Amino acid sequence: MPFPIEEKLLLSFEIFSFTLYFIIIIYLNLHYKKNKEFFSLPFIIQFTFNGICDLVSASSVIFFRKIAIWGWLRDYFEENDWVTILYRLVFYQFTSLTITGNFLITLNRYMTMANPIFYKNKWTPNFAICIVILQILVCFGIFSHLYFVDAVFVYDASIPTWYFTKSKWIYSLFDSICLTSISWFSAIGTGVLNFKICLQYSKIMKSAVGSKRKNKICLFVFTLITCTFLYITAIQQTVRLKSAIDKDRRLRNLMNYYFFYMLPMLSCIHAYLMIFLSRKIREDFFSWFYRCILGREFTTVTSIGQPSKWTVPNHNVLKSFYKS
């Protein structure tokens, strides 16, 4: 198969998005002391870890799926066992880390709004690191069966394409069960939390106008997009599970094909969410752009009642603050 235009566009979008993603990650980590009023260190830890997992996951899709579909490196994949070993060790594990990462970063945001006192006192950097470690243990542990089975690089004439899979069909069934469970857990959990976040944010920003109203709309749009991607992923994995039960290889590979378009989109969305919702990041970025690219200073207009904090310290204070 040639390198189609839609693949070129998707790959270009991924490169741009992850460049933006890691610019934000570097910015947050280099300036976390200066910006601790806006971004908590536990959030930065989880956001950074998610970014790394998202990058590895998206790269795995390209390396293990798209390159074979495009017709590149087929002989190399067939002749080198280390590729199939790497596939067993990272592919599904980092896919799961990307999916669960959406739920956990949403949980972090929710706790800043729903219980800011608990978040400040209990959701410490050490607690965030423990969450990351637990996430790794769960996502690598749930696919532990892959460490005891061989992977193969095969051709399916019904699609037609080359792809990596397990040497025994029963292990593909296990993969489907695990990934479907993770997808539905993350989709439902993220959906419920985002719904509560939007309700809470709507109450706080009830009388918002101007830029604050735009932030409110952006929040609703991006939470809707995230939830939509997660639910589509969960539905795809459910169909994939059914195909594994029925031993319908064609349907299973078809679901995989569409899933590997959805997963990179899910991985890229956090960068845009941060930019649209954080005035602090936007202002610092424009300040750098004006100073380094245009050679002049960027001035901001600060109006009363427009804080750009990521965390919400107190609902009652904010309500009275926005009404003033």
Side-chain angles (χ1 to χ4, degrees):
M1 179 185 290
F3 195 16
I5 183 64
E6 62 270 17
E7 296 284 3
K8 294 178 182 178
L9 292 174
L10 180 60
L11 186 60
S12 300
F13 173 74
E14 287 182 59
I15 292 172
F16 175 79
S17 299
F18 277 108
T19 301
L20 203 59
Y21 205 153
F22 276 84
I23 287 174
I24 295 172
I25 287 174
I26 293 170
Y27 164 83
L28 291 176
N29 282 275
L30 289 180
H31 302 285
Y32 77 90
K33 289 184 178 179
K34 183 179 71 174
N35 295 329
K36 62 183 179 181
E37 183 183 1
F38 302 95
F39 306 100
S40 67
L41 185 55
F43 173 81
I44 294 173
I45 291 171
Q46 289 185 248
F47 186 79
T48 301
F49 178 71
N50 276 9
I52 295 170
C53 292
D54 289 343
L55 178 62
V56 175
S57 176
S59 301
S60 297
V61 170
I62 294 172
F63 185 72
F64 292 113
R65 296 292 301 192
K66 296 300 181 70
I67 285 180
I69 292 174
W70 299 335
W72 303 348
L73 301 179
R74 287 176 181 171
D75 292 337
Y76 184 82
F77 286 165
E78 286 186 287
E79 296 169 0
N80 290 271
D81 292 338
W82 73 266
V83 181
T84 55
I85 294 172
L86 187 64
Y87 167 77
R88 291 190 289 115
L89 295 178
V90 304
F91 187 77
Y92 285 99
Q93 293 85 342
F94 277 92
T95 297
S96 300
L97 285 169
T98 288
I99 295 172
T100 55
N102 281 273
F103 167 73
L104 291 172
I105 203 70
T106 305
L107 179 61
N108 186 297
R109 294 191 187 109
Y110 172 73
M111 292 304 298
T112 64
M113 301 186 74
N115 200 333
I117 296 176
F118 171 85
Y119 184 85
K120 182 178 180 180
N121 296 331
K122 301 296 183 181
W123 205 296
T124 61
N126 287 336
F127 184 72
I129 292 172
C130 288
I131 290 177
V132 167
I133 293 173
L134 180 62
Q135 186 183 359
I136 293 172
L137 291 175
V138 170
C139 291
F140 276 78
I142 199 171
F143 291 102
S144 58
H145 59 276
L146 293 178
Y147 310 140
F148 307 100
V149 63
D150 292 330
V152 291
F153 186 59
V154 298
Y155 178 75
D156 188 345
S158 64
I159 301 181
T161 189
W162 289 82
Y163 63 94
F164 289 92
T165 187
K166 274 64 64 183
S167 58
K168 295 182 180 180
W169 185 261
I170 187 66
Y171 291 104
S172 295
L173 178 61
F174 291 161
D175 292 342
S176 297
I177 292 173
C178 295
L179 205 53
T180 301
S181 301
I182 288 173
S183 297
W184 277 113
F185 172 81
S186 298
I188 294 172
T190 303
V192 171
L193 291 175
N194 274 332
F195 179 73
K196 291 185 176 182
I197 288 172
C198 288
L199 284 180
Q200 194 66 47
Y201 197 76
S202 182
K203 291 178 182 178
I204 295 171
M205 307 288 282
K206 191 173 183 180
S207 58
V209 294
S211 62
K212 291 179 289 185
R213 182 174 178 82
K214 291 179 182 178
N215 279 356
K216 178 180 174 181
I217 294 172
C218 285
L219 176 66
F220 292 160
V221 170
F222 276 96
T223 53
L224 179 62
I225 292 173
T226 303
C227 290
T228 300
F229 282 163
L230 283 171
Y231 274 99
I232 291 175
T233 297
I235 293 170
Q236 286 176 333
Q237 293 310 307
T238 303
V239 176
R240 183 176 180 271
L241 174 59
K242 184 180 184 304
S243 68
I245 294 172
D246 297 339
K247 295 187 177 181
D248 187 344
R249 191 179 298 275
R250 183 181 180 281
L251 179 60
R252 173 176 168 270
N253 288 334
L254 187 63
M255 287 299 101
N256 283 339
Y257 180 80
Y258 289 116
F259 173 62
F260 297 130
Y261 277 99
M262 188 62 59
L263 187 63
M265 302 294 288
L266 185 63
S267 302
C268 294
I269 195 170
H270 293 292
Y272 300 101
L273 180 63
M274 287 289 288
I275 289 172
F276 279 102
L277 291 184
S278 174
R279 193 182 69 184
K280 175 63 177 173
I281 288 180
R282 292 197 304 272
E283 287 180 353
D284 284 358
F285 174 79
F286 282 122
S287 176
W288 171 84
F289 181 79
Y290 271 70
R291 186 175 64 255
C292 298
I293 306 300
L294 301 181
R296 55 194 178 93
E297 290 297 320
F298 172 74
T299 57
T300 60
V301 179
T302 304
S303 59
I304 298 175
Q306 290 188 352
S308 57
K309 290 185 179 181
W310 185 262
T311 57
V312 181
N314 188 290
H315 294 167
N316 295 326
V317 172
L318 277 175
K319 287 177 183 177
S320 59
F321 182 73
Y322 283 120
K323 289 179 180 178
S324 61

